[in-house]
Amino acid sequence: MPAVKSVLIANRGEIAVRVIRAAHDLNLRAIAIYSELDRDAVHVDLADEAWNVGPAPSSESYLNIDRILEVARESKADAIHPGYGFLAENAEFARAVIEAGFIWVGPPPEAIATMGDKIASRIAAAEAGVAAVPGTTEPLNDVSEVRAFANEHGLPVAIKAAHGGGGKGLKVVRDESELESAFEGAKREAVAWFASPEVYVERYLDTPRHIEAQVIFDTHGNEMFLGERDCSLQRRHQKLVEETPAPGFTDEQRAELGRAALAIGRAAGYVNAGTVEFLLDTNGDLFFLEMNTRIQVEHTITEETTGIDLVVEQLRVAAGEHLSFDSVERTGHAIEFRINAEDPSSGFLPTPGKLSTYREPAGPGVRVDSGVRQGSRISQYYDNLIAKLIVRGRDRDEAIRRSIRALTEFKIEGVETTIPAHLQILKDAYFPAGDVNTRLVEDLMDFSDLGSKSSQAMPEDEELQEREITVEVGGRRFEVKYWSPVIASTGSGQRPAPRRKAPKLSKEQASVSGEGLVTAPMQGTIVKVHHSAGDAVRVGDPVCVLEAMKMENEIKASASGDIVDLRVQPGDTVTAGAVLMVIK
Ligand code: MV4
């Protein structure tokens, strides 16, 4: 059994925090990675160490496989946990992790690949004797095959991308006349999103419920079903509310679901935690839809009703240990609400910005998993999940009452959130009655009356500038980099800055530049110098222009006097803190 002492978390936000907590519960060293935008993130603080993996865009940081593996080597990580999203369901990454000698906290790459190919996963279900939604198990070559399927099974039908998911590349056909264009459209979307033209066709269920099964397998042949989750409340294929048990779901249905989910996992050679998605049609029939080969956002409600820490089990299984339990006892009812930075009154448009107020609820039955604190920014570079509110009660009614209390307690200002939409859902007629399906939120509810507080939009990214200081620790010199808000004022080229009395220099600026030294507030390129050596200037006069991040920054005289030393000319690149001129 490989000894695991440390785990690198290849993720950010609440799931990184969640994995760090599991690592600490197991006495493992938690190694975080972060992008330049996440330097002050909660997951960075909670980890035992944190490594910069690149600029804000995910493609250059959280998806940067080479850099992540380099950090894993440098930090001497034993294992890598991918969380969800980013690289979690990337079979190539899983392979690379294993080939580089690390333990992959996830299923075998082959199982990821099988389940990522929706046609292959339907074949795995068939091998396991589990009914998938009636459909084809080979890529479609021609629209005539769709027509033949529709003639046999009736309309509506769904044309789906074989490598798709999440509703992308999904076309519903309700009328024969739409077959051709839907087929072509699905193929185009499949190429655009998933770089593969393969599509297949299924009977389309009109108002199904979305029921998913949580399973986990260890490497010793042990397998466990931990119950279902009803995830029917979604908007544009984004889940909003998840609950367990599924309202009205019978013990017989649950037993059938568990048998089917475990059989599919077995057929795919599955190891570790996974989720098998089903559609429950209005007749009460269950159909396999797809399998997600990762820990999911909503795993928390299963934890709350089983008492089992799924992320701890994931780490145990990855280390070759046995599952820590051999039976599952479910009690009570749990509901998860996704608190997103979105404005429900304007069609759930994302609302990035700074959390000027952030106060989490607490009390009996309440758990909040988040990766933010007051002052955090919800960036448009990443998903807009602020927090997950997970509420437990002895039964559904108690869970709902506590949910209303907790959502009302939750105070978030600075961005619009889904909290008012959740309260409306809880007080609406359908949800309390347990009458849920995948069309409820989108087609039956109207959130336009939830007047947005229309918060004063905050600029998304505060400009930070890199600074350097030298510190001495235990007699040894260290160069230390740090980042702080840009102080230098910027003059717009249009309107000359009004003449002011001597501008106050911040303490920091004064100490860094010293009187008479004009320094670069950030790395950049000098594009203009307004004076020549020997010129007299007054404190606060613009002396040159530094361009950085496509922004022009006016640099001002730090003192009144003559320019005795002019060290730059247009075109020069300068580093932060560089002396540009000396005034005496
Ligand atoms: C379906 C379906 C009905 N019939 N397939 C949407 C995303 C992707 N994961 C599968 N999806 C669906 N596939 C057939 N044959 C309905 C959906 C669907 C849906 C599924 C689960 C949760 C919410 C949904 C919302 C709209 C459509």
Side-chain angles (χ1 to χ4, degrees), residues 133 160 166-167 202-205 210 234 237 279 289-290 438:
V133 186
K160 297 185 174 186
E202 284 178 354
R203 215 185 91 208
Y204 188 75
L205 313 180
H210 173 124
Q234 314 204 354
H237 304 296
L279 294 179
L289 191 60
E290 51 195 67
T438 51

Side-chain angles (χ1 to χ4, degrees), residues 15 84 129 377 413 470 495 513 529 553 558:
I15 193 62
Y84 54 69
R377 281 159 201 283
E413 290 174 330
T470 306
R495 190 160 36 92
S513 23
V529 180
N553 302 275
S558 53

Side-chain angles (χ1 to χ4, degrees), residues 354-569:
K354 179 172 169 171
L355 305 179
S356 53
T357 303
Y358 181 79
R359 276 205 310 277
E360 293 179 351
V366 173
R367 161 178 172 183
V368 179
D369 279 20
S370 80
V372 299
R373 61 168 85 83
Q374 187 156 304
S376 293
R377 281 159 201 283
I378 307 300
S379 161
Q380 59 197 10
Y381 282 106
Y382 310 118
D383 74 20
N384 53 12
L385 183 69
I386 302 171
K388 310 190 299 200
L389 169 64
I390 305 110
V391 181
R392 181 170 38 81
R394 283 167 299 177
D395 54 27
R396 192 167 189 268
D397 282 345
E398 187 173 59
I400 288 177
R401 285 194 305 274
R402 287 175 165 176
S403 297
I404 294 172
R405 178 247 298 167
L407 285 161
T408 308
E409 252 180 57
F410 217 143
K411 286 282 174 287
I412 299 178
E413 290 174 330
V415 302
E416 299 299 325
T417 77
T418 44
I419 290 173
H422 289 311
L423 284 166
Q424 185 177 326
I425 288 168
L426 287 171
K427 294 173 179 175
D428 182 88
Y430 297 98
F431 186 85
D435 187 4
V436 294
N437 65 60
T438 51
R439 287 173 65 172
L440 176 56
V441 172
E442 219 144 342
D443 299 350
L444 298 176
M445 292 192 67
D446 176 10
F447 299 96
S448 56
D449 283 347
L450 296 176
S452 79
K453 285 169 282 155
S454 152
S455 55
Q456 51 302 345
M458 296 255 190
E460 204 227 311
D461 297 331
E462 186 173 35
E463 252 186 86
L464 293 182
Q465 89 180 79
E466 185 180 317
R467 297 159 191 269
E468 243 177 67
I469 55 168
T470 306
V471 297
E472 206 177 270
V473 179
R476 183 169 164 200
R477 267 175 72 98
F478 291 91
E479 305 283 312
V480 177
K481 275 197 236 173
Y482 67 103
W483 288 263
S484 63
V486 173
I487 293 161
S489 51
T490 58
S492 79
Q494 312 282 19
R495 190 160 36 92
R499 273 193 177 262
R500 286 193 210 97
K501 286 178 249 164
K504 276 183 215 130
L505 282 178
S506 74
K507 238 191 228 162
E508 187 174 24
Q509 215 176 27
S511 70
V512 167
S513 23
E515 213 174 313
L517 292 184
V518 177
T519 58
M522 69 198 77
Q523 183 185 328
T525 305
I526 300 293
V527 293
K528 215 172 263 167
V529 180
H530 302 313
H531 295 279
S532 313
D535 284 2
V537 295
R538 300 244 299 266
V539 65
D541 282 353
V543 285
C544 63
V545 178
L546 174 72
E547 193 191 83
M549 291 167 284
K550 297 180 189 130
M551 297 261 299
E552 290 200 344
N553 302 275
E554 196 111 300
I555 308 297
K556 294 177 176 164
S558 53
S560 298
D562 297 337
I563 298 174
V564 293
D565 186 2
L566 178 58
R567 301 195 183 170
V568 290
Q569 56 185 29

